Amino acid sequence: MNIHEFQGKEIFRKFGVPVPDGKVARNADEAEQIANELPGNICVVKAQIHAGGRGKGALTELPDVHGVKVCKSADEAKAHAEALLGNTLVTHQTGPAGKLVQRLLVEAASNISSEFYAGIVLDRSTCKFCFMVSTEGGVEIEKVASETPEKIFKVWIEPGANLKSFQARQLAFALGMKGTQIRSAVKTFMNLWNVFRDKDCSLMEINPLIVTVENDVIAVDAKINFDGNALYRHP
Ligand code: ADP
Ligand code: MG
């Protein structure tokens, strides 16, 4: 079972994983209102579909319009929302038919210094959970895995055990984090693991996990899949 990015970010917020401030819009007026309420003038309008690659993806109806757009004013956010809603977004993950955009996430724009990848999966070959990070964030991780696998750093978690703080530190060091970034990243990795465990996830990807110019560590994207066999525990 899949959920949208905005739903994943709601869960992250409850578990202490920092995400940008933002809200869901179902029409262009709501998008404008949310953009006005957010601090600062710059916001990001993001199509909510069950597929990644939205930033590079484009509308079938309007090929110049992409699924993720940094907007410099509420007017621009409204115009972009009007273009996206009710149209079909095609990304490398949707197939040529694309997906209908019915909802948007309008959120505060982060001041990105670096983009990283973080993910947790069940590694069936070792019967353990694998928590992995890469300095190659914001790009397709499948491409990194096939072309430069040495750029993905992994730690494993035994069934019934937890991510250990020394492992979380190893993940932060693998990303070249320095000073206060290390403590923020360690806390975020521990909290991401708590989400994965408590919500019976089968896959979690944060691409990108960013460090801001202000040295904050923030989950800017959120992909979460759940283990269907455990859904009865989460009505
Ligand atoms: P997708 O993976 O579907 O393309 P993302 O949420 O990863 O969607 O967004 C694509 C890119 O847009 C990110 O790699 C990041 O560079 C930028 N971006 C997304 N959200 C924000 C934000 N809140 N602030 C700044 N940049 C953002
Ligand atoms: Mg992404």
Side-chain angles (χ1 to χ4, degrees):
M1 186 193 142
N2 284 322
I3 58 172
H4 286 297
E5 174 195 10
F6 75 91
Q7 296 166 315
K9 284 178 167 171
E10 276 166 19
I11 298 176
F12 281 0
R13 238 178 239 123
K14 285 189 193 135
F15 279 74
V17 175
V19 295
D21 281 342
K23 277 191 186 150
V24 180
R26 284 185 180 73
N27 57 57
D29 288 333
E30 279 177 13
E32 182 187 24
Q33 193 186 336
I34 298 163
N36 273 323
E37 285 165 9
L38 288 170
N41 291 324
I42 307 179
C43 68
V44 187
V45 175
K46 310 178 78 172
Q48 299 297 289
I49 58 168
H50 286 142
R54 296 163 299 163
K56 294 203 178 93
L59 295 178
T60 317
E61 297 84 354
L62 303 161
D64 293 337
V65 175
H66 299 279
V68 175
K69 170 125 167 97
V70 177
C71 297
K72 297 198 173 64
S73 67
D75 283 348
E76 197 183 340
K78 182 180 184 179
H80 196 69
E82 248 155 28
L84 281 174
L85 287 164
N87 280 331
T88 314
L89 183 60
V90 177
T91 80
H92 71 274
Q93 289 187 5
T94 60
K99 292 209 185 282
L100 180 65
V101 183
Q102 292 175 300
R103 260 177 284 199
L104 307 170
L105 172 60
V106 182
E107 66 178 15
S110 296
N111 234 339
I112 301 179
S113 168
S114 339
E115 298 198 18
F116 302 116
Y117 170 94
I120 311 177
V121 292
L122 171 61
D123 180 356
R124 293 183 190 279
S125 66
T126 58
C127 298
K128 291 175 189 173
F129 297 104
C130 178
F131 198 136
M132 56 193 151
V133 294
S134 176
T135 51
E136 308 304 293
V139 292
E140 276 170 66
I141 198 65
E142 290 79 7
K143 204 162 170 243
V144 182
S146 72
E147 290 171 12
T148 49
E150 70 281 1
K151 289 189 173 162
I152 302 178
F153 179 83
K154 300 173 180 176
V155 298
W156 281 268
I157 302 152
E158 300 280 342
N162 281 312
L163 178 72
K164 308 273 195 316
S165 53
F166 83 87
Q167 291 178 307
R169 277 199 299 281
Q170 287 176 332
L171 294 169
F173 292 141
L175 295 179
M177 302 257 184
K178 300 256 155 31
T180 58
Q181 298 169 0
I182 297 172
R183 188 193 288 213
S184 309
V186 164
K187 206 172 150 202
T188 296
F189 293 144
M190 299 301 277
N191 288 338
L192 285 171
W193 167 253
N194 291 340
V195 173
F196 193 92
R197 183 200 53 209
D198 288 3
K199 297 294 181 187
D200 291 306
C201 299
S202 54
L203 174 130
M204 192 154 100
E205 284 191 304
I206 300 91
N207 192 15
L209 177 81
I210 64 155
V211 172
T212 65
V213 173
E214 301 82 16
N215 271 326
D216 296 319
V217 175
I218 300 180
V220 152
D221 197 0
K223 173 177 177 173
I224 306 180
N225 292 350
F226 299 97
D227 177 356
N229 293 319
L231 285 182
Y232 74 96
R233 294 208 282 218
H234 306 280

